[in-house]
Amino acid sequence: MEVEKQVRVRSAPSPTGDPHLGTAYNALFNYVFARAHQGKFILRIEDTDRERSTAESETRIISSLKWLGLQWDEGPDVGGPYGPYRQSERSETYREHAQKLIDSGHAYRCFCTKERLAEVRIEREKAKLTPGYDGFCRTLTPETIQDNLNRGLPFVVRLKIPETGATRFQDQLRGEIVFENSQLQDQVLLKADGFPTYHLANVVDDHLMKISHVIRAEEWISSTPLHALLYEAFGWEPPEFIHLPLLRNLDKSKMSKRKNPVSITYYQRQGFLPETLLNFLALQGWSMPNDEEIFSIDDMIQNFTLDRISLGGPVFDLKKLLRFNGIYIRKLNSAELRQRLVESSIQRQIARMNDAQYLERAALLFQERLKSLSDFDSAAHFLFTGAQAYNIRELVPKGKNLNQTKSALFAAMEAFRPVKDWTTTSLEQKSRDFCEEIKWSTNEFFMFLRIIITGSTQSPPLFETMAVLGKEECIARLQDGLAALQLS
Ligand code: GLU
């Protein structure tokens, strides 16, 4: 593909959880594309989902991307000429644009209540129609609309999708993609609270931020006809669209946390080097002209062309990633290796040891068991280190198989994640309830949990230990244990 216009690309993560491997993958391709074309790489935070977005998630996403070295030219933390780069700070812009579409007849106010929408859903299901809105408010008279507004009725703004015909767009990797308009629905652009939906905010920002190429995950292809219609409605030229191949689990299914660790934090705490992870992510969608598998991001930038993106896509094989990491570790000289060890584990151990409050709680856990002070060194080691080394044979309880153990551990992780009160009593109660749910005896499950949390079959009382370690570390260890089972 000829690239003529100034290249401006963006990563647009939604800060609604752990920094995801998919975010790193997407940022990598955008970063490389920008560098390969002397363009700009922009980070935009898409936090329009007010219920699920958190500042903590944004901070973690930003620090994970920085850890990977994917530095952006414009973004919420560094500013730039087209800011603000956080969508929650741009509400007024979206409202103005929604109004423009209403004025030009491309969008309309919809006053339908939740109850009515629920009825429509049931009716359409019965009639075997595609799910969606029935267009009731498309034809409201100006008088009714004014009357509803005067009465202060809440409304959303919907896009008026043409009833017939088809919408087409070019995907730079897949060619022309066509959607029948009858399959699309009058999407909500502005919610009743005045906040935009992803579609409106995304298109308005891509235009105002002069994004030349939208490089994003395959799962957004089905939203693109809607975006194409929005560009048309605004009278704007759309950007080029490039939908990257999916990241896949070992069994080729779309990557999911049930089958693969997906949080960047996992890879960071496990001591993967950022350059290994980037190289490996690059290989999930792209290959070097000489098919060399080990390459740097600079090599990728030098050699990058879209036609080497392969849609078939390999699978994300953790064992192979570990092998790659070994290769990268052996490339380091002694000073570099020391530095990496300091950054990845030694710093955190020192910080924990210097935390008087933490150390005191740790000491109390062991007071009953110490014959001499020196016992503390080896017994309490697990309270200061991060990822533990697991013995898989020890990890799978007798009478359970690997799959049952994996499912139980995944479920445990999901069960503990929402716990707010991370205290001995509430953790014990939660664990007992959980045993009933999954029908494991408390003996079985508590021992299993003990090994995951402490790396050993012997430890101080489990729930007190978990309370001292803290929620973040415990959840991370559950994830570590799950990955160890997945790797086995
Ligand atoms: N906020 C969307 C996401 O989280 C961005 C999708 C896009 O790049 O358009 O993936």
Side-chain angles (χ1 to χ4, degrees):
M1 180 186 48
E2 289 284 312
V3 177
E4 286 151 8
K5 46 187 174 181
Q6 148 87 340
V7 165
R8 291 179 54 82
V9 291
R10 83 312 189 264
S11 265
S14 299
T16 53
D18 275 355
H20 197 280
L21 214 47
T23 301
Y25 174 64
N26 180 271
L28 167 66
F29 276 79
N30 275 284
Y31 173 87
V32 167
F33 190 80
R35 296 289 168 266
H37 297 289
Q38 289 77 48
K40 297 275 188 240
F41 171 49
I42 291 130
L43 179 72
R44 183 171 75 223
I45 298 295
E46 298 208 327
D47 56 351
T48 54
D49 184 339
R50 302 310 297 149
E51 266 163 35
R52 295 177 56 228
S53 301
T54 65
E56 190 223 334
S57 167
E58 177 185 318
T59 309
R60 292 182 57 202
I61 290 174
I62 289 187
S63 74
S64 302
L65 293 177
K66 285 196 169 154
W67 171 69
L68 285 167
L70 299 172
Q71 186 55 54
W72 41 95
D73 305 299
E74 299 167 27
D77 54 338
V78 292
Y82 300 97
Y85 293 90
R86 194 178 285 116
Q87 289 187 330
S88 55
E89 292 164 21
R90 302 171 63 82
S91 302
E92 201 40 47
T93 307
Y94 309 126
R95 276 196 282 273
E96 280 165 21
H97 282 81
Q99 187 60 48
K100 277 190 192 163
L101 291 180
I102 296 176
D103 294 344
S104 65
H106 290 98
Y108 60 95
R109 293 185 184 85
C110 167
F111 298 90
C112 289
T113 58
K114 271 200 195 99
E115 292 73 31
R116 181 170 187 279
L117 294 176
E119 277 165 29
V120 170
R121 203 173 306 128
I122 296 169
E123 296 282 304
R124 289 182 79 89
E125 246 173 53
K126 271 197 211 144
K128 300 212 167 9
L129 291 169
T130 47
Y133 181 59
D134 63 352
F136 182 79
C137 291
R138 270 174 96 119
T139 50
L140 295 183
T141 62
E143 292 73 31
T144 314
I145 296 173
Q146 197 49 55
D147 191 40
N148 286 347
L149 291 176
N150 292 345
R151 286 161 56 206
L153 293 189
F155 63 87
V156 300
V157 176
R158 291 182 185 271
L159 180 65
K160 209 183 266 180
I161 302 269
E163 276 160 317
T164 55
T167 298
R168 328 168 167 264
F169 60 90
Q170 293 290 329
D171 178 286
Q172 295 299 318
L173 303 175
R174 295 166 181 79
E176 186 177 69
I177 298 186
V178 184
F179 279 79
E180 293 300 324
N181 290 336
S182 57
Q183 297 302 307
L184 307 175
Q185 60 161 318
D186 287 0
Q187 262 289 344
V188 174
L189 302 177
L190 205 63
K191 296 179 271 189
D193 61 3
F195 274 92
T197 57
Y198 154 74
H199 306 288
L200 178 68
N202 187 271
V203 165
V204 166
D205 284 351
D206 281 346
H207 175 73
L208 296 180
M209 294 180 181
K210 297 197 164 32
I211 298 302
S212 60
H213 298 73
V214 166
I215 305 176
R216 64 180 166 201
E218 190 172 298
E219 70 201 61
W220 297 105
I221 290 183
S222 57
S223 296
T224 310
L226 202 82
H227 299 182
L229 286 168
L230 273 170
Y231 282 102
E232 210 176 293
F234 281 120
W236 296 336
E237 191 194 331
E240 310 285 350
F241 292 107
I242 297 157
H243 290 95
L244 294 173
L246 289 175
L247 290 179
R248 291 169 198 279
N249 296 315
L250 215 47
D251 62 7
K252 290 226 163 226
S253 56
K254 180 180 165 193
M255 187 176 278
S256 61
K257 59 180 175 180
R258 196 174 272 281
K259 297 190 177 156
N260 204 79
V262 293
S263 163
I264 305 174
T265 320
Y266 165 82
Y267 296 91
Q268 200 170 354
R269 72 180 256 118
Q270 283 288 334
F272 285 95
L273 306 186
E275 56 267 46
T276 316
L277 193 55
L278 287 178
N279 182 168
F280 204 67
L281 284 172
L283 273 180
Q284 303 305 303
W286 186 82
S287 56
M288 284 284 272
N290 61 4
D291 285 328
E292 178 55 69
E293 285 201 310
I294 302 283
F295 53 84
S296 69
I297 294 318
D298 280 342
D299 294 334
M300 185 175 176
I301 294 169
Q302 301 292 328
N303 291 282
F304 191 78
T305 52
L306 284 179
D307 58 8
R308 295 208 58 82
I309 292 184
S310 114
L311 292 180
V315 292
F316 196 92
D317 179 351
L318 259 184
K319 282 189 188 152
K320 184 165 171 183
L321 177 62
L322 265 175
R323 236 177 16 250
F324 269 42
N325 206 39
I327 297 175
Y328 273 98
I329 287 175
R330 279 173 272 298
K331 282 177 190 238
L332 303 173
N333 65 33
S334 57
E336 287 165 341
L337 181 56
R338 173 184 52 78
Q339 184 55 25
R340 298 301 182 102
L341 287 170
V342 167
E343 284 164 10
S344 98
S345 78
I346 294 170
Q347 248 162 17
R348 56 163 289 147
Q349 292 188 43
I350 294 176
R352 289 216 136 167
M353 287 177 180
N354 279 330
D355 178 342
Q357 214 189 345
Y358 184 78
L359 193 53
E360 225 166 89
R361 293 182 73 195
L364 273 182
L365 270 181
F366 284 91
Q367 193 167 24
E368 289 301 314
R369 316 160 67 94
L370 297 180
K371 286 191 284 302
S372 89
L373 294 181
S374 65
D375 290 346
F376 186 76
D377 283 4
S378 56
H381 191 242
F382 73 92
L383 287 172
F384 302 95
T385 50
Q388 308 299 301
Y390 298 115
N391 173 348
I392 294 299
R393 272 206 224 122
E394 208 174 68
L395 212 50
V396 179
K398 288 207 177 60
K400 305 281 180 220
N401 64 32
L402 183 62
N403 276 339
Q404 289 166 323
T405 313
K406 276 195 233 173
S407 308
L409 185 45
F410 181 79
M413 201 163 75
E414 296 303 296
F416 282 116
R417 217 188 273 280
V419 173
K420 292 225 163 63
D421 180 24
W422 201 262
T423 54
T424 309
T425 15
S426 97
L427 286 168
E428 174 161 3
Q429 191 53 51
K430 181 86 213 166
S431 305
R432 289 189 183 279
D433 295 347
F434 181 71
C435 286
E436 284 195 14
E437 231 172 84
I438 62 161
K439 304 201 168 37
W440 279 33
S441 72
T442 45
N443 271 353
E444 270 167 351
F445 183 70
F446 291 1
M447 178 50 81
F448 175 59
L449 192 57
R450 183 187 305 279
I451 300 176
I452 301 277
I453 297 293
T454 69
S456 152
T457 53
Q458 281 167 8
S459 76
L462 176 59
F463 303 111
E464 280 165 45
T465 307
M466 285 175 77
V468 171
L469 268 170
K471 178 172 174 177
E472 201 183 317
E473 182 62 26
C474 288
I475 301 278
R477 289 189 186 186
L478 296 177
Q479 172 65 80
D480 293 342
L482 183 62
L485 291 172
Q486 284 159 341
L487 261 169
S488 70

mmCIF file of all heavy atoms in Angstrom, residues 108-113 116 133 136-156:
data_model
loop_
_atom_site.group_PDB
_atom_site.id
_atom_site.type_symbol
_atom_site.label_atom_id
_atom_site.label_comp_id
_atom_site.label_asym_id
_atom_site.label_seq_id
_atom_site.Cartn_x
_atom_site.Cartn_y
_atom_site.Cartn_z
ATOM 1 N N TYR A 108 -31.424 10.783 15.415
ATOM 2 C CA TYR A 108 -32.679 11.241 16.013
ATOM 3 C C TYR A 108 -32.697 10.934 17.511
ATOM 4 O O TYR A 108 -31.971 10.066 17.988
ATOM 5 C CB TYR A 108 -33.884 10.607 15.311
ATOM 6 C CG TYR A 108 -33.913 9.086 15.380
ATOM 7 C CD1 TYR A 108 -34.633 8.414 16.371
ATOM 8 C CD2 TYR A 108 -33.204 8.312 14.453
ATOM 9 C CE1 TYR A 108 -34.656 7.032 16.438
ATOM 10 C CE2 TYR A 108 -33.224 6.928 14.505
ATOM 11 C CZ TYR A 108 -33.954 6.290 15.505
ATOM 12 O OH TYR A 108 -33.967 4.928 15.576
ATOM 13 N N ARG A 109 -33.553 11.680 18.214
ATOM 14 C CA ARG A 109 -33.703 11.437 19.646
ATOM 15 C C ARG A 109 -34.678 10.287 19.843
ATOM 16 O O ARG A 109 -35.720 10.251 19.196
ATOM 17 C CB ARG A 109 -34.237 12.679 20.358
ATOM 18 C CG ARG A 109 -33.279 13.832 20.365
ATOM 19 C CD ARG A 109 -33.855 14.957 21.211
ATOM 20 N NE ARG A 109 -32.994 16.134 21.174
ATOM 21 C CZ ARG A 109 -33.051 17.060 20.224
ATOM 22 N NH1 ARG A 109 -33.937 16.965 19.236
ATOM 23 N NH2 ARG A 109 -32.238 18.097 20.253
ATOM 24 N N CYS A 110 -34.310 9.388 20.739
ATOM 25 C CA CYS A 110 -35.191 8.248 21.008
ATOM 26 C C CYS A 110 -35.583 8.309 22.489
ATOM 27 O O CYS A 110 -34.713 8.322 23.365
ATOM 28 C CB CYS A 110 -34.446 6.961 20.681
ATOM 29 S SG CYS A 110 -35.263 5.492 21.302
ATOM 30 N N PHE A 111 -36.895 8.361 22.735
ATOM 31 C CA PHE A 111 -37.397 8.514 24.109
ATOM 32 C C PHE A 111 -37.892 7.179 24.675
ATOM 33 O O PHE A 111 -38.544 7.151 25.704
ATOM 34 C CB PHE A 111 -38.549 9.527 24.136
ATOM 35 C CG PHE A 111 -38.141 10.916 23.705
ATOM 36 C CD1 PHE A 111 -38.218 11.303 22.370
ATOM 37 C CD2 PHE A 111 -37.676 11.832 24.641
ATOM 38 C CE1 PHE A 111 -37.848 12.582 21.967
ATOM 39 C CE2 PHE A 111 -37.298 13.117 24.239
ATOM 40 C CZ PHE A 111 -37.380 13.494 22.905
ATOM 41 N N CYS A 112 -37.663 6.086 23.968
ATOM 42 C CA CYS A 112 -38.207 4.790 24.407
ATOM 43 C C CYS A 112 -37.703 4.434 25.807
ATOM 44 O O CYS A 112 -36.522 4.597 26.101
ATOM 45 C CB CYS A 112 -37.805 3.683 23.436
ATOM 46 S SG CYS A 112 -38.679 3.832 21.877
ATOM 47 N N THR A 113 -38.592 3.901 26.598
ATOM 48 C CA THR A 113 -38.210 3.510 27.966
ATOM 49 C C THR A 113 -37.564 2.124 27.923
ATOM 50 O O THR A 113 -37.710 1.386 26.950
ATOM 51 C CB THR A 113 -39.458 3.423 28.868
ATOM 52 O OG1 THR A 113 -40.355 2.470 28.255
ATOM 53 C CG2 THR A 113 -40.145 4.757 29.004
ATOM 54 N N ARG A 116 -40.124 -0.509 27.278
ATOM 55 C CA ARG A 116 -40.526 -0.677 25.874
ATOM 56 C C ARG A 116 -39.444 -1.441 25.092
ATOM 57 O O ARG A 116 -39.740 -2.338 24.315
ATOM 58 C CB ARG A 116 -40.797 0.695 25.226
ATOM 59 C CG ARG A 116 -41.216 0.513 23.805
ATOM 60 C CD ARG A 116 -41.744 1.663 23.025
ATOM 61 N NE ARG A 116 -42.198 1.088 21.768
ATOM 62 C CZ ARG A 116 -41.396 0.805 20.747
ATOM 63 N NH1 ARG A 116 -40.115 1.068 20.818
ATOM 64 N NH2 ARG A 116 -41.872 0.234 19.653
ATOM 65 N N TYR A 133 -33.280 -2.394 17.589
ATOM 66 C CA TYR A 133 -34.328 -1.416 17.829
ATOM 67 C C TYR A 133 -35.299 -1.404 16.652
ATOM 68 O O TYR A 133 -34.893 -1.637 15.506
ATOM 69 C CB TYR A 133 -33.658 -0.046 18.012
ATOM 70 C CG TYR A 133 -34.633 1.059 18.298
ATOM 71 C CD1 TYR A 133 -35.465 0.987 19.417
ATOM 72 C CD2 TYR A 133 -34.713 2.169 17.470
ATOM 73 C CE1 TYR A 133 -36.359 2.005 19.676
ATOM 74 C CE2 TYR A 133 -35.602 3.191 17.730
ATOM 75 C CZ TYR A 133 -36.436 3.102 18.837
ATOM 76 O OH TYR A 133 -37.316 4.092 19.098
ATOM 77 N N PHE A 136 -39.000 2.979 16.328
ATOM 78 C CA PHE A 136 -40.222 3.679 16.727
ATOM 79 C C PHE A 136 -40.053 5.208 16.724
ATOM 80 O O PHE A 136 -40.919 5.935 16.243
ATOM 81 C CB PHE A 136 -40.649 3.195 18.124
ATOM 82 C CG PHE A 136 -41.909 3.808 18.631
ATOM 83 C CD1 PHE A 136 -43.154 3.358 18.193
ATOM 84 C CD2 PHE A 136 -41.874 4.856 19.559
ATOM 85 C CE1 PHE A 136 -44.322 3.931 18.662
ATOM 86 C CE2 PHE A 136 -43.036 5.440 20.032
ATOM 87 C CZ PHE A 136 -44.264 4.972 19.587
ATOM 88 N N CYS A 137 -38.941 5.708 17.242
ATOM 89 C CA CYS A 137 -38.776 7.166 17.378
ATOM 90 C C CYS A 137 -38.216 7.849 16.127
ATOM 91 O O CYS A 137 -38.011 9.061 16.126
ATOM 92 C CB CYS A 137 -37.892 7.482 18.588
ATOM 93 S SG CYS A 137 -38.702 7.095 20.146
ATOM 94 N N ARG A 138 -37.957 7.074 15.092
ATOM 95 C CA ARG A 138 -37.444 7.674 13.840
ATOM 96 C C ARG A 138 -38.417 8.684 13.257
ATOM 97 O O ARG A 138 -38.028 9.647 12.622
ATOM 98 C CB ARG A 138 -37.238 6.580 12.786
ATOM 99 C CG ARG A 138 -35.882 5.939 12.777
ATOM 100 C CD ARG A 138 -35.875 4.795 11.788
ATOM 101 N NE ARG A 138 -35.345 5.226 10.508
ATOM 102 C CZ ARG A 138 -34.258 4.720 9.939
ATOM 103 N NH1 ARG A 138 -33.590 3.757 10.520
ATOM 104 N NH2 ARG A 138 -33.842 5.163 8.777
ATOM 105 N N THR A 139 -39.698 8.393 13.487
ATOM 106 C CA THR A 139 -40.712 9.177 12.773
ATOM 107 C C THR A 139 -41.533 10.071 13.695
ATOM 108 O O THR A 139 -42.631 10.488 13.333
ATOM 109 C CB THR A 139 -41.660 8.209 12.020
ATOM 110 O OG1 THR A 139 -42.089 7.213 12.952
ATOM 111 C CG2 THR A 139 -40.955 7.544 10.857
ATOM 112 N N LEU A 140 -41.013 10.336 14.887
ATOM 113 C CA LEU A 140 -41.769 11.233 15.780
ATOM 114 C C LEU A 140 -41.893 12.615 15.124
ATOM 115 O O LEU A 140 -40.958 13.079 14.471
ATOM 116 C CB LEU A 140 -41.031 11.394 17.124
ATOM 117 C CG LEU A 140 -40.885 10.168 18.020
ATOM 118 C CD1 LEU A 140 -40.185 10.561 19.321
ATOM 119 C CD2 LEU A 140 -42.237 9.527 18.318
ATOM 120 N N THR A 141 -43.037 13.243 15.313
ATOM 121 C CA THR A 141 -43.214 14.580 14.717
ATOM 122 C C THR A 141 -42.424 15.605 15.540
ATOM 123 O O THR A 141 -42.178 15.392 16.740
ATOM 124 C CB THR A 141 -44.696 14.998 14.752
ATOM 125 O OG1 THR A 141 -45.088 15.054 16.128
ATOM 126 C CG2 THR A 141 -45.577 14.003 13.997
ATOM 127 N N PRO A 142 -42.050 16.714 14.913
ATOM 128 C CA PRO A 142 -41.321 17.755 15.664
ATOM 129 C C PRO A 142 -42.100 18.185 16.904
ATOM 130 O O PRO A 142 -41.507 18.481 17.951
ATOM 131 C CB PRO A 142 -41.211 18.903 14.661
ATOM 132 C CG PRO A 142 -41.386 18.279 13.312
ATOM 133 C CD PRO A 142 -42.215 17.048 13.494
ATOM 134 N N GLU A 143 -43.452 18.176 16.820
ATOM 135 C CA GLU A 143 -44.266 18.607 17.981
ATOM 136 C C GLU A 143 -44.077 17.615 19.138
ATOM 137 O O GLU A 143 -43.889 18.018 20.282
ATOM 138 C CB GLU A 143 -45.758 18.682 17.618
ATOM 139 C CG GLU A 143 -46.129 19.776 16.625
ATOM 140 C CD GLU A 143 -45.684 19.463 15.199
ATOM 141 O OE1 GLU A 143 -45.636 18.257 14.842
ATOM 142 O OE2 GLU A 143 -45.345 20.406 14.461
ATOM 143 N N THR A 144 -44.149 16.310 18.819
ATOM 144 C CA THR A 144 -43.998 15.303 19.889
ATOM 145 C C THR A 144 -42.610 15.430 20.519
ATOM 146 O O THR A 144 -42.458 15.360 21.751
ATOM 147 C CB THR A 144 -44.157 13.873 19.312
ATOM 148 O OG1 THR A 144 -45.288 13.858 18.473
ATOM 149 C CG2 THR A 144 -44.265 12.832 20.393
ATOM 150 N N ILE A 145 -41.623 15.605 19.662
ATOM 151 C CA ILE A 145 -40.250 15.710 20.195
ATOM 152 C C ILE A 145 -40.158 16.900 21.148
ATOM 153 O O ILE A 145 -39.675 16.781 22.280
ATOM 154 C CB ILE A 145 -39.230 15.861 19.040
ATOM 155 C CG1 ILE A 145 -39.243 14.592 18.186
ATOM 156 C CG2 ILE A 145 -37.830 16.142 19.577
ATOM 157 C CD1 ILE A 145 -38.423 14.661 16.926
ATOM 158 N N GLN A 146 -40.705 18.057 20.695
ATOM 159 C CA GLN A 146 -40.641 19.252 21.524
ATOM 160 C C GLN A 146 -41.383 19.032 22.836
ATOM 161 O O GLN A 146 -40.900 19.397 23.917
ATOM 162 C CB GLN A 146 -41.216 20.449 20.751
ATOM 163 C CG GLN A 146 -40.840 21.798 21.340
ATOM 164 C CD GLN A 146 -39.336 21.914 21.626
ATOM 165 O OE1 GLN A 146 -38.512 21.713 20.733
ATOM 166 N NE2 GLN A 146 -38.964 22.197 22.886
ATOM 167 N N ASP A 147 -42.536 18.390 22.699
ATOM 168 C CA ASP A 147 -43.346 18.118 23.883
ATOM 169 C C ASP A 147 -42.576 17.241 24.879
ATOM 170 O O ASP A 147 -42.527 17.520 26.082
ATOM 171 C CB ASP A 147 -44.633 17.421 23.409
ATOM 172 C CG ASP A 147 -45.637 17.345 24.529
ATOM 173 O OD1 ASP A 147 -45.740 18.337 25.268
ATOM 174 O OD2 ASP A 147 -46.279 16.278 24.695
ATOM 175 N N ASN A 148 -41.947 16.173 24.349
ATOM 176 C CA ASN A 148 -41.160 15.277 25.217
ATOM 177 C C ASN A 148 -40.011 16.020 25.890
ATOM 178 O O ASN A 148 -39.724 15.807 27.070
ATOM 179 C CB ASN A 148 -40.576 14.110 24.403
ATOM 180 C CG ASN A 148 -41.643 13.102 24.037
ATOM 181 O OD1 ASN A 148 -42.751 13.133 24.574
ATOM 182 N ND2 ASN A 148 -41.339 12.219 23.096
ATOM 183 N N LEU A 149 -39.383 16.898 25.120
ATOM 184 C CA LEU A 149 -38.262 17.665 25.682
ATOM 185 C C LEU A 149 -38.760 18.601 26.770
ATOM 186 O O LEU A 149 -38.155 18.713 27.843
ATOM 187 C CB LEU A 149 -37.550 18.469 24.581
ATOM 188 C CG LEU A 149 -36.761 17.643 23.554
ATOM 189 C CD1 LEU A 149 -36.182 18.545 22.464
ATOM 190 C CD2 LEU A 149 -35.626 16.884 24.246
ATOM 191 N N ASN A 150 -39.917 19.244 26.495
ATOM 192 C CA ASN A 150 -40.487 20.157 27.504
ATOM 193 C C ASN A 150 -40.815 19.417 28.791
ATOM 194 O O ASN A 150 -40.669 19.956 29.886
ATOM 195 C CB ASN A 150 -41.767 20.821 26.973
ATOM 196 C CG ASN A 150 -41.449 21.784 25.834
ATOM 197 O OD1 ASN A 150 -40.289 22.146 25.638
ATOM 198 N ND2 ASN A 150 -42.473 22.168 25.068
ATOM 199 N N ARG A 151 -41.255 18.163 28.614
ATOM 200 C CA ARG A 151 -41.603 17.371 29.808
ATOM 201 C C ARG A 151 -40.363 16.804 30.494
ATOM 202 O O ARG A 151 -40.455 16.110 31.501
ATOM 203 C CB ARG A 151 -42.548 16.234 29.419
ATOM 204 C CG ARG A 151 -43.968 16.752 29.117
ATOM 205 C CD ARG A 151 -44.788 15.762 28.311
ATOM 206 N NE ARG A 151 -44.883 14.463 28.947
ATOM 207 C CZ ARG A 151 -45.081 13.307 28.289
ATOM 208 N NH1 ARG A 151 -45.188 13.321 26.971
ATOM 209 N NH2 ARG A 151 -45.178 12.172 28.944
ATOM 210 N N GLY A 152 -39.209 17.064 29.901
ATOM 211 C CA GLY A 152 -37.950 16.601 30.521
ATOM 212 C C GLY A 152 -37.747 15.098 30.406
ATOM 213 O O GLY A 152 -37.036 14.505 31.237
ATOM 214 N N LEU A 153 -38.358 14.462 29.402
ATOM 215 C CA LEU A 153 -38.171 13.012 29.266
ATOM 216 C C LEU A 153 -36.729 12.704 28.856
ATOM 217 O O LEU A 153 -36.168 13.385 28.005
ATOM 218 C CB LEU A 153 -39.109 12.449 28.183
ATOM 219 C CG LEU A 153 -40.602 12.471 28.467
ATOM 220 C CD1 LEU A 153 -41.360 11.671 27.393
ATOM 221 C CD2 LEU A 153 -40.894 11.898 29.847
ATOM 222 N N PRO A 154 -36.142 11.693 29.470
ATOM 223 C CA PRO A 154 -34.775 11.333 29.079
ATOM 224 C C PRO A 154 -34.751 10.741 27.670
ATOM 225 O O PRO A 154 -35.727 10.117 27.238
ATOM 226 C CB PRO A 154 -34.365 10.273 30.104
ATOM 227 C CG PRO A 154 -35.619 9.785 30.717
ATOM 228 C CD PRO A 154 -36.676 10.839 30.533
ATOM 229 N N PHE A 155 -33.681 10.957 26.965
ATOM 230 C CA PHE A 155 -33.573 10.399 25.608
ATOM 231 C C PHE A 155 -32.137 10.002 25.293
ATOM 232 O O PHE A 155 -31.192 10.458 25.932
ATOM 233 C CB PHE A 155 -34.063 11.408 24.558
ATOM 234 C CG PHE A 155 -33.244 12.669 24.506
ATOM 235 C CD1 PHE A 155 -32.098 12.736 23.714
ATOM 236 C CD2 PHE A 155 -33.600 13.788 25.273
ATOM 237 C CE1 PHE A 155 -31.327 13.897 23.693
ATOM 238 C CE2 PHE A 155 -32.822 14.940 25.246
ATOM 239 C CZ PHE A 155 -31.685 15.002 24.454
ATOM 240 N N VAL A 156 -32.015 9.112 24.303
ATOM 241 C CA VAL A 156 -30.704 8.815 23.729
ATOM 242 C C VAL A 156 -30.718 9.337 22.295
ATOM 243 O O VAL A 156 -31.793 9.636 21.765
ATOM 244 C CB VAL A 156 -30.396 7.297 23.721
ATOM 245 C CG1 VAL A 156 -30.399 6.721 25.126
ATOM 246 C CG2 VAL A 156 -31.363 6.525 22.824
#
